[in-house]
Amino acid sequence: MSDLLAPGAINPYDFLEIDHLVSAEELLVRDTVRQFVREKITPYAGEWFEEGGFPRALIDEMGDLGLFGMHLDGYGCAGTSAMAYGLACTELEAGDSGIRSIVSVQGSLAMYPIWAFGSQAQKETWLPSMATGRTIGCFGLTEPDSGSDPGAMRTTARLENDEWVLNGTKMWITNGSIADVAIIWAMTDSGVRGFIVPTNTPGFSATDIKGKMSLRVSITSELILTDVRLPLDTVLPDVTGLKGPLSCLNEARFGILFGAVGAARACYESALAYATERIQFDKPIAAFQLTQRKLVTMLVDVNMGMLLAVHLGSMRDAGNLAPEQVSFGKLTNVAMALKTAREARSILGANGITLDYPVIRHMNNLESVYTYEGTNEIHTLILGQAITGISAFG
Ligand code: TGC
Ligand code: FAD
C-alpha cells in the first residue's frame, strides 16, 4: 500500500475515500491490525503456505491484540462495533484467508454460541480464556455426508444415566486438532443441540486432513466422537434446532464478506505494482490498454466490494441486518475476490504461479472461502428464496 502521494492526487489504494465512511476508532482498529499483518503475517505467509500450518505463538499474539470475539461484550472481549470487526477481517485476510479463518472460527463460531446461548457458568468458564487465545475453540457442524445440508447430520447425543453420550464424525473442522474445546452440534430427541466438548474427553479424537492445496496456513481436521460422555451442563441451554448453528454462521459470514475484500485488495495491489515495473516491448505492461482494463476492473470491483461491506457493517451496527443480507455480501464479495485473484494472476504471468507473490496463494485460498460458510450455490438459493418466497433447496 502506498503512503506517499502528490497533494490532491487520487489515492489508487482508497480511490473512493471509503475511509471517510467509518469512525476514527474503527480506523484505529483497522490500522493496528493492518500493521500487525504487514509485520507478522505478510512476510511469512508464503513460507507457511508451502510448509502447511502456522506458528502457535501467532494465536497468542492475536489474542493479545484483542482480536478474538472482539465484537462481543463482556467476559474479556473487546466489545468493538461490528464494523471494526469487519475491518479487522479485511486486514487479516489481506494477509491470508487462513489467518482470518482462525479469528472467524474462534470468535464467531466457538465463542459466539457460548456467549449467545450458554449459561452464565459456561460463559464465565470459557470466554475469558478464549478471548486471550490461550484456549482454542473449533466448531463442528459439517460431516462427511452432510455439508450444505446440516439438517441431515448423523452425529447423535443421547441421555444416559444423567450424562450426554455423543457419537459421530465431523469433517473439515478448522483448528480441530489444536482446539482445547469443540462446539459440537448433534441430533437429540428434541432436535439439534450444541455441546461444549473439552477435546481431552475420552472418546474424542482429531486427525488433520492432508493434501490440501488451499487454506494451507490453516489446520483442517476430522473429528471422531465415540461414546463421548459429558455432564448435563455441557449442553448450550438457550437454543434448540438448526437456528443455533445457523446463527453462528451469520456472524462468521459477516466477517468473511469483509475479509474477502482484503484478499482481493492484496491481489489488486500486487498486480498494480507488478504491472508498473514489468517491462515488455520496451514498456511497462501497465502501459498496455488490455492490462489497464484488467487493473481498472479490479479497482472497481474491490471498491464496490468494500462499499458493500461497509454498508452492511453500518446496517449491522444499526441492528437491522438480516441473514439474507449477509448472504448477499458473502455471495458477492467472495465471487468478486476469486475473479480478481484470477485476473491478477494473469498480469503476473509466470511469476504469478509462484509463492514469491501472494496472488496464487490468495487464489487457491479463495476456492475454500467460496465453498465454506455456505457455498456460492447455497447463498444464491437463500437469495432466490428471499425474493421469490420459493425454496429451491430440495
Ligand atoms: P431451514 O428450515 O431454512 O431453517 C431451520 C431453522 O433455522 C432458521 N434459520 C436461521 N437462523 C439464523 N440464521 C440463519 N441464517 C438461518 N437460516 C435458517 C430457520 O428460521 C429455522 O428456524 P426454526 O425456528 O423454524 O426451526 O433450514 P434448512 O435445513 O432448509 O437449511 C437451510 C440452508 C441450506 C440455508 C442452511 O442449512 C445452510 O446455510 N447451509 C449451509 C451450511 C453451511 O454454511 N455450513 C458451514 C459450516 S461452518 C464453516 O464452514 C466454517 S469455515 C471456517 C471459517 O469460517 O473460516
Ligand atoms: P456439498 O454440500 O456436498 O456440495 C457439493 C456441491 O453441490 C457444491 O457446489 C454445492 O453448492 C452443491 N449443492 C449442494 N446442495 C445443493 C443444492 N440444494 N442446490 C444446488 N447445489 C447444491 N465446517 C464446519 O462445520 N466447521 C469448520 O470449521 C469448517 N471449516 C472448513 C475449512 C475448510 C478449508 C473447508 C474447505 C471447509 C470447512 N468446513 C467447515 C466445511 C464447509 O462448511 C463445507 O465444505 C460446506 O458447507 C460445503 O459442504 P460440502 O463440502 O460437503 O459440499
Side-chain angles (χ1 to χ4, degrees):
M1 240 157 301
S2 144
D3 294 320
L4 293 174
L5 288 167
I10 292 181
N11 182 351
Y13 302 99
D14 183 20
F15 200 85
L16 298 180
E17 302 187 10
I18 297 173
D19 282 8
H20 292 165
L21 300 178
V22 297
S23 73
E25 291 80 10
E26 288 158 351
L27 286 179
L28 188 60
V29 171
R30 194 270 316 262
D31 290 344
T32 305
V33 180
R34 180 175 286 180
Q35 194 57 30
F36 172 76
V37 170
R38 279 185 188 177
E39 285 174 13
K40 301 285 177 83
I41 293 169
T42 309
Y44 312 106
E47 204 177 298
W48 295 338
F49 188 95
E50 190 154 26
E51 289 168 5
F54 56 88
R56 170 66 179 80
L58 195 67
I59 294 192
D60 295 343
E61 289 183 62
M62 291 198 283
D64 293 342
L65 267 186
L67 291 172
F68 297 134
M70 62 188 280
H71 62 307
L72 306 178
D73 282 322
Y75 309 99
C77 302
T80 69
S81 64
M83 185 79 83
Y85 169 51
L87 293 171
C89 287
T90 304
E91 297 309 318
L92 292 166
E93 196 147 356
D96 192 273
S97 299
I99 303 296
R100 194 267 311 134
S101 254
I102 295 170
V103 170
S104 296
V105 169
Q106 179 82 351
S108 290
L109 296 181
M111 293 172 70
Y112 176 79
I114 299 173
W115 183 86
F117 308 125
S119 66
Q120 194 57 31
Q122 289 170 339
K123 291 177 200 187
E124 283 166 10
T125 302
W126 294 105
L127 293 179
S129 63
M130 292 176 84
T132 66
R134 270 56 181 186
T135 296
I136 299 178
C138 68
F139 176 88
L141 179 64
T142 306
E143 300 186 355
D145 296 325
S146 71
S148 297
D149 182 16
M153 71 174 67
R154 291 187 188 162
T155 299
T156 56
R158 62 174 202 280
L159 275 174
E160 202 180 285
N161 300 328
D162 282 342
E163 280 181 323
W164 286 104
V165 184
L166 270 62
N167 280 286
T169 304
K170 297 289 177 182
M171 193 68 180
W172 303 109
I173 307 306
T174 302
N175 286 347
S177 66
I178 59 165
D180 303 290
V181 61
I183 304 298
I184 298 292
W185 299 94
M187 193 62 79
T188 70
D189 286 345
S190 56
V192 172
R193 303 293 302 265
F195 293 85
I196 305 175
V197 184
T199 55
N200 59 5
T201 311
F204 182 101
S205 65
T207 314
D208 287 342
I209 295 169
K210 302 285 181 201
K212 288 186 300 170
M213 299 306 288
S214 174
L215 262 280
R216 289 181 55 75
V217 184
S218 176
I219 291 160
T220 318
S221 316
E222 176 183 32
L223 311 182
I224 297 182
L225 296 98
T226 309
D227 286 331
V228 172
R229 307 185 89 83
L230 297 167
L232 294 181
D233 64 3
T234 52
V235 71
L236 295 170
D238 290 345
V239 75
T240 300
L242 260 191
K243 63 176 179 289
L246 295 180
S247 304
C248 306
L249 298 184
N250 294 335
E251 301 291 305
R253 290 166 178 172
F254 176 82
I256 290 174
L257 73 88
F258 270 89
V261 183
R265 188 190 76 200
C267 293
Y268 159 65
E269 290 177 353
S270 183
L272 180 59
Y274 189 87
T276 54
E277 286 160 13
R278 173 73 177 169
I279 308 293
Q280 288 294 286
F281 300 97
D282 299 324
K283 288 179 184 169
I285 59 171
F288 303 128
Q289 290 180 3
L290 291 177
T291 308
Q292 288 199 3
R293 184 167 68 180
K294 290 180 188 177
L295 291 170
V296 170
T297 301
M298 284 189 253
L299 166 76
V300 170
D301 287 350
V302 170
N303 278 275
M304 297 289 274
M306 199 64 209
L307 279 175
L308 172 60
V310 167
H311 175 64
L312 295 176
S314 301
M315 290 177 74
R316 172 77 197 262
D317 280 323
N320 55 14
L321 185 65
E324 293 81 358
Q325 290 162 329
V326 175
S327 286
F328 186 116
K330 200 274 181 182
L331 174 78
T332 310
N333 280 356
V334 176
M336 175 281 289
L338 192 49
K339 174 171 160 271
T340 300
R342 288 172 178 157
E343 197 82 292
R345 215 289 309 147
S346 81
I347 290 180
L348 268 63
N351 280 319
I353 71 159
T354 72
L355 290 172
D356 293 342
Y357 295 85
V359 175
I360 191 109
R361 177 169 50 79
H362 283 298
M363 191 176 110
N364 280 13
N365 285 341
L366 287 163
E367 292 291 347
S368 285
V369 182
Y370 194 76
T371 286
Y372 68 32
E373 291 284 0
T375 64
N376 179 276
E377 291 79 9
I378 289 299
H379 289 293
T380 302
L381 295 178
I382 290 172
L383 296 188
Q385 183 173 12
I387 58 174
T388 65
I390 304 167
S391 165
F393 292 107

